[in-house]
Amino acid sequence: MAELLRFATAGSVDDGKSTLIGRLLYDSKAIFEDQLEAVEATSRQRGDEYTDLALLTDGLRAEREQGITIDVAYRYFATPKRKFIIADTPGHIQYTRNMVTGCSTADLTLVLVDARHGLVEQSRRHAFLASLLRVPHLVLCVNKMDLVDYDQAVFDRICDEFRAFATKLDVTDLTFIPVSALKGDNVVNRSENMPWYEGSSLLHHLESVFIASDRNLIDARFPIQYVLRPMQAAHHDYRGYAGTVAGGVFKPGDDIVVLPSGFQSTIASIETADGPVTEAFPPMSVSIQLSDDLDVSRGDMICRPHNQPHVGQDVEAMVCWMNESASLQAGAKLGIKHTTRSARALVKELQYRLDVNTLHRENEINALALNEIGRVTLRTTVPLFFDDYRRNRETGSFILIDEATNATVGAGMILGPAQP
Amino acid sequence: MDYELSHLDALEAESIHIFREVAAEFERPCLLFSGGKDSVVMLHLALKAFAPCSLPFPVMHVDTGHNFEEVIEYRDRAVLKAGARLVIASVEESIRQGRSVDETGPRASRNRLQTVTLLDAIEEHRYDAVFGGGRRDEEKARAKERVYSFRDEFGQWDPKNQRPELWSLYNGRHKSGEHIRVFPLSNWTELDIWQYIAAENIDLPTIYYSHQREVFRRDGMLLSVSPFITLQEGEVPVEMTVRYRTVGDATCTGAVESTASTVEEVILEVAATRVTERGATRADDRASEAAMEDRKKEGYF
């Protein structure tokens, strides 16, 4: 059974990220001849000295013309063991916004460092954002090892430095791999140039890193998305609550409580179009039937009576602000979408801004500008059913929406309930 | 029990989530359906998302009038079996009404005309969400498209001004007259589609499997002899064993030489192929490197 692994990469033009991705794609036969030909032709036309594999992902005309990456690009490849989705985030323009977007769904983040330069500000920023978004696995690829004579001392020094920095972060699984993307060392196969390295190649690591326990399997959470009520004689009394399991494991017979009403019932059955299932866990899309006829609708949540999320209108959160046209200020009113609930939110307080390079907190701020991250206190028009983001990425996340333009202007990660 | 899903189960769950989210949040969605394999998988997923209910939205075919007979037959059968309501938006009709003009010349195609017909139909039926079967692996302009792709009142896509899309929180807000194109297959690849077709035992139009056909070579592609194409000097029809990797307008969709006659054989072929499906078989994408981007900005699928 092939699993799905989503990973985000970040880096600037010079650290060899495109070469590394290009190699992973090429060696796994995910780059096709016509794509390669098109890229070669464009490179020639621009007068590049070598084929720029970044052109494989830079799909927009403006990107090709300006030689920049505007947006997150998604790339796909598969090996017999796993299917991979790469969220390739550009290193410069809209850096934070893109990295936050790419990391929000990632199981793993790949941070690239140039062996000649060691950790730079950007490497720390990558790692910090990955930890802020609670990406469960982080791989630091020390690239261009060929340019430092495959020297173990260089690799060790960079690892030590990174480990010291990572103690300030919330990184649970950290892996270091010395590679040369250009020469192929330790990318797909173990390198003979670095016999001192005893770990896996990058691809082998991506194929085997254990991700099944990354999702929250403890706190049962089922945000109701859609109510299935067939208007057919054959299914007269059928009422299925459809949704995607956001946490925990549900089984027929489980005692449950529905929020916000607090009504209790038991699970009569869990259905899919392929028939009933004995268990439902994240991220399965199922439909739950209850033993009792309750008034339940979209935006409600099914959970267990003895393990309930926070219920409240006052929330503390870290917010990444993504609006180009206006900054975020206290007093702002915005649309909010959290699980399947849509409401309005008032920004009661901006507590501090976090400098993503130094992790320094700046207090007494007036606004959060584009690509800035800060801690805010929100009050919502209706109660949300939420968990801390660090406990559950599905029930701990929200987006903020500008009510005038309908644009998505903020990404939020809940720290916990706030004092009303 | 280990709580893992196979990649196909995970992709299916994601797509079903998207279908349900749209049905819950939009007033008038519709599903584009051409009888092509991606739209067939879309219909299959949509039915699964709402079972045992019937489909809560109609399906729409933008009909160029230049069809493969087998596909139209399949379309009608599939829609009937699904119990869905079929809306046909006809390019022929748009031409008759003077909304668009047929291209002329030997390479005339109605591919681009579909955009006018599609946008008119969206406006006429006041659809606020339109499901399409586009995949990000298909084409590089699509690699940057969102699952929820916002379109302004002219149906235009602005690739530089897209809404960030985080977690599984989709922002479908729009004003009256604007709409959202929704791509539930964004994260699927051609191989995933075929593996899913095999796993779910999904019936496809017969032209996806090898068959004998009268074809001729043009621009390195094998085009089917049909009433819609005028043969040029030097173009000689020959009978070959072919199949289709994509199904679009008959005037610009090429066949590939293939003896793959079962879904298993197609999977082996797809896994071994070194050319993308659009590169191999679509004249519409060969116009220029930004052909897809330009058409998409205008409101194409």
Side-chain angles (χ1 to χ4, degrees), chain A residues 1-4 6 26 29-35 38-39 42 55-64 66 69-74 76 83 85 97 100-101 104-105 133 210 212 217 225-226 228-232 235 238 242-244 249 251 273-274 279 281-287 298 322 324 335-340 342-343 389 393-394 397-399 401 403-408 410-413, chain B residues 1-25 44 47-54 56 135-146 148 150 157 159-175 178 185-192 196 200 245 270-280 288-291 293-294 297:
Chain A
M1 185 179 76
E3 285 173 297
L4 193 59
R6 298 173 199 248
Y26 194 78
K29 296 191 169 50
I31 294 179
F32 296 92
E33 283 166 12
D34 55 322
Q35 291 176 318
V39 164
T42 305
L55 292 167
L56 280 168
T57 48
D58 292 345
L60 305 174
R61 187 196 298 272
E63 294 177 318
R64 284 194 301 278
Q66 298 166 39
T69 309
I70 288 175
D71 209 339
V72 185
Y74 294 90
Y76 304 83
K83 173 192 162 105
I85 302 178
R97 163 176 151 163
V100 166
T101 302
S104 73
T105 51
L133 271 291
F210 186 67
L217 295 170
Q225 201 183 4
Y226 191 84
L228 294 168
R229 287 187 62 195
M231 303 297 171
Q232 303 157 11
H235 301 283
Y238 189 97
T244 303
V249 180
K251 298 186 178 92
D274 299 314
E279 285 185 304
F281 53 90
M284 285 170 71
S285 281
V286 298
S287 146
R298 175 174 166 88
M322 301 174 157
E324 286 157 41
I336 184 169
K337 188 168 180 185
H338 170 262
T339 65
T340 55
S342 289
Y389 184 76
R393 291 165 90 189
E394 303 303 320
S397 56
F398 60 83
I399 55 171
I401 297 164
E403 294 185 308
T405 63
N406 289 328
T408 303
M413 290 140 280
Chain B
M1 165 140 192
D2 50 352
Y3 294 103
E4 289 174 51
L5 293 182
S6 73
H7 79 287
L8 287 181
D9 286 339
L11 290 172
E12 182 192 63
E14 180 180 80
S15 300
I16 287 177
H17 177 86
I18 294 162
F19 273 110
R20 288 170 171 170
E21 197 65 8
V22 169
E25 288 201 317
H44 184 85
L47 291 168
K48 288 186 93 166
F50 302 103
C53 298
S54 46
R135 309 188 318 264
R136 290 188 184 130
D137 80 319
E138 264 182 273
E139 210 283 336
K140 53 193 174 313
R142 284 199 163 148
K144 304 242 160 163
E145 183 145 27
R146 303 292 186 259
Y148 272 37
F150 173 80
W157 179 55
K160 284 202 236 174
N161 190 22
Q162 301 193 80
R163 295 174 178 173
E165 207 154 67
L166 300 111
W167 299 289
S168 48
L169 295 170
Y170 301 104
N171 174 4
R173 296 199 194 188
H174 62 282
K175 294 172 190 156
E178 300 168 342
L185 301 181
S186 287
N187 286 322
W188 297 55
T189 61
E190 185 186 13
L191 190 57
D192 296 330
Y196 189 71
E200 298 278 299
R245 275 177 82 184
V270 170
T273 188
R274 304 297 302 130
V275 182
T276 62
E277 60 182 28
R278 286 199 160 258
S288 78
E289 201 175 3
E293 181 181 346
D294 292 343
K297 282 180 182 165

